[in-house]
Amino acid sequence: MDRQKSAPDSRLDKKIRLEEIRLLYGGTPFSYSASFVIALIIYNVLLGHVSSPQNLDIWLFTILGILFVRSVDSYLFSTKDKKEQSRNSWRIRFFAGTGIAGFCWGLLPWLGYSSEIEYFSFIIVCLVGVIAGSLSTLSYRWETIALFLLPASLLLVLRLIIEDQTFFNATSFVLLVFIFFSLTAGKKIFNNTQQNIRLRLEADTREHAIELMHQKQALHLQNTPLAIIEFDIDLNVTEWNKAAERIFGYSRAEAIDENVMRLVLLRDSSDEAEKLWQQLLSYQPVIGAVIENKTKSGTPVICEWFVTPLTGEQNEIVGIAAMALDISDKKQTELAILKSKEEAEKANQAKSDFLSSMSHELRTPLNAILGFTQLLKYEKTLTEKQQSHIREISNAGNLLLELVNQILDLARIEKGHLQLSMEKVALADCFKEVRAMILPLAEKNNLKLNISTDISGYVIADFTRLKQVMLNLLSNAIKYNIDNGSVTLKVLQKENNVVRISIIDTGKGISEELLHEIFQPFNRLNAASKIEGTGIGLSISKQLVEMMDGNIGVSSKINDGSEFWIELSGNLNNTATMESESLTHAAEQRPSPASITGHNILVAEDNPTNQTLILSQLEALGYAADLAKNGQEALNMMVNTDYQLLLTDCNMPLVDGYKLASTIRERGNQQLPIIALTADAFPEKKTECFKAGMNDHITKPADLQTLKDTLEKYLN
Ligand code: ADP
């Protein structure tokens, strides 16, 4: 900090030193001319009255020689530029020259000595005059005064003392007083001169800085893209720069002295302007106010304003300074971006809505196709060829159902409608269920499935969705495997409480270039067309894992196999040793008809195809049932008959399934098992069913085995 402060000071000191030496040299033409004339006069007066004329000649030549040399030095100094002049050598030369000159003048009473008292007095007067005169030209430095005055006067005093006459003694005393006062006066003059020089230079510097600032301000004022407008308390424009001309269309001449409000404000914005004006009158600046203004031609222009009041000596408001930036383009771009964002969001929403409703609508006919196909499968009268066709229809139907379910999931994730219920999921439970579900597919493909359930540990996840992801990865590992290959599930504890679940297959692997596209929706890479698939399973898996705050990834080697892994928060207490599942081929069996007959089952279903299907399914399972076409009809039928179980669709006219269930419960019938049969596969629907008082939920198309198990569970 000190250094920062001293830098400008030392610059000023340098300037002062330069100024001093310039003033000292500047005074030389006058002082040298005067010295020259005085020396000649003294010589002429003393000639013929001195003890030694030769000595007087020597003195004169010495004085003239000194004057000549110093005049040459002065001339040389005047030819140099400021930088050269500020060299220290000029000071040294000037100081030395002054000292020598003082000494030479001091030699006058010695070399020009006259025994005639009036001539010697003349010498005293001349020397005192020269010394007094030198004060004015040498006072720019007190050292120069001393260097001239001391040798000149002291040599004179010495000469007077040697004479030892009363008159001279008295004179020498007066001279000593004169020397003292001259030196003191010289020092004072020097101090004042110094101060003057300093003040003058400081003022010069300040003036220069102010001038520079004005120049800069003028430049900025003219070239800035900001409109700079000033107006007085009566709102009359006093300043109007080029940018203001450009933005508002009025030239400076047109704008000056005009009312600023009239120039730039739209008629209907006066309320807003009044508010800002009041703000300014209470000494508060306006910062970043966006106002719709108008140009000379009446075109609207949106400006951002920065306005501040200007105050006078008594802190009264004397005017207003305002800056305005034309942000019309920026605003338009912002609006365009906002509009296109809204449109994109709308389009995306429309796409999700379409996918959602389309897949929902597809489920109803699919329900019938799959249900009847399943019934046909068990028809004993069909030929082998017909059975094979039925299997084809069933496979295709199932694939279509998977696709519909996945599209529904995707749409719900995109719409943000998918809700997860995160909990501690015991890995053993999860693996057990997943193994049971995937085993038939592994057996069908002659693959070895290594999934150990002997594991204790948990992950934080949504149980259903974790199973969905694992089933997707396992079914891929099976589908894209080779004959007699294997699929292994491994679990690993990683640092920071992260558990990695890996699914490793011995398939053909995925090439490096295709790996980065693998999680894109509807991208089947180069999967053989004979392998069934939709191309969205992995994309859904990724989104689900990320929603569970986890990660999913893959590494693969061509002809070596792939490893898909998911990482979730969790902990393993111990890792399990892998066991190989024994492969037993379970043949598809028709669920055996119910051993319990004579149950009174009521089915509430509005869709005729679904009515036929469910009644046929129940018949195949050995149950007879009554049919109600909607909830109202079901309620009416229950008045006369005591049913043991109610199977109800959810969406029906008049009274829907939820209302039907809640009415039954409200009427005090708590023991009747009510089972929902609905095309909605969403978990929320399930919750809604339970809330309405239902006991269970079967998703259409109902699988015969599921139907049988559920009925037996409640009828027993
Ligand atoms: P789908 O299996 O229905 O086609 P996915 O999204 O599950 O859709 O997988 C996308 C693509 O990634 C598959 O079509 C397949 O080409 C490739 N793929 C997925 N898993 C594996 C695997 N384990 N081995 C080789 N390729 C795989």
Side-chain angles (χ1 to χ4, degrees), residues 472 476-477 479-480 505 510 518 523-525 527 533-538 562 564:
N472 178 243
N476 278 353
K479 280 196 298 185
Y480 303 106
D505 65 53
I510 307 148
I518 200 157
N523 195 339
R524 298 213 61 213
L525 307 185
T534 57
I536 45 178
L538 282 180
S562 312
F564 281 82

Side-chain angles (χ1 to χ4, degrees), residues 453-609:
T453 52
D454 181 16
I455 179 165
S456 58
Y458 69 89
V459 286
I460 306 289
D462 177 302
F463 188 53
T464 318
R465 296 302 176 178
L466 176 61
K467 272 193 315 189
Q468 182 181 347
V469 172
M470 288 189 61
L471 282 172
N472 178 243
L473 297 181
L474 284 165
S475 66
N476 278 353
I478 294 169
K479 280 196 298 185
Y480 303 106
N481 218 312
I482 48 165
D483 273 347
N484 295 316
S486 70
V487 173
T488 307
L489 191 140
K490 265 190 188 162
V491 198
L492 184 82
Q493 175 73 62
K494 293 192 74 185
E495 69 281 4
N496 300 333
N497 287 342
V498 170
V499 171
R500 175 183 274 218
I501 304 170
S502 299
I503 288 149
I504 303 157
D505 65 53
T506 50
K508 291 204 180 98
I510 307 148
S511 70
E512 192 78 32
E513 316 82 79
L514 294 176
L515 261 188
H516 66 274
E517 301 171 9
I518 200 157
F519 292 105
Q520 289 169 1
F522 303 104
N523 195 339
R524 298 213 61 213
L525 307 185
N526 48 10
S529 55
K530 68 175 178 13
I531 304 176
E532 283 169 356
T534 57
I536 45 178
L538 282 180
S539 151
I540 292 174
S541 297
K542 181 172 163 57
Q543 299 197 53
L544 287 176
V545 172
E546 281 168 3
M547 281 174 79
M548 291 189 273
D549 290 330
N551 281 316
I552 188 166
V554 55
S555 59
S556 186
K557 236 182 184 178
I558 288 285
N559 296 330
D560 230 12
S562 312
E563 175 179 349
F564 281 82
W565 51 261
I566 52 176
E567 284 178 354
L568 292 163
S569 305
N571 234 314
L572 287 188
N573 299 344
N574 64 338
T575 36
T577 47
M578 294 301 171
E579 291 169 357
S580 181
E581 287 293 329
S582 63
L583 301 180
T584 49
H585 288 263
E588 204 172 355
Q589 280 174 355
R590 174 190 179 147
S592 55
S595 49
I596 321 127
T597 47
H599 287 295
N600 267 349
I601 296 178
L602 177 61
V603 173
E605 169 68 69
D606 64 319
N607 183 296
T609 319

Side-chain angles (χ1 to χ4, degrees), residues 60-72:
L60 183 66
F61 281 116
T62 316
I63 282 287
L64 294 181
I66 288 283
L67 281 175
F68 176 72
V69 173
R70 296 194 74 198
S71 298
V72 172

Side-chain angles (χ1 to χ4, degrees), residues 18 21 24-25 72-96:
L18 174 66
I21 196 73
L24 287 170
Y25 270 110
V72 172
D73 187 45
S74 275
Y75 170 73
L76 288 176
F77 179 82
S78 69
T79 59
K80 303 294 176 199
D81 59 19
K82 281 187 178 173
K83 198 175 159 212
E84 280 291 319
Q85 288 177 345
S86 56
R87 284 182 191 283
N88 215 22
S89 55
W90 293 108
R91 282 170 81 81
I92 296 168
R93 274 147 74 169
F94 192 87
F95 284 10

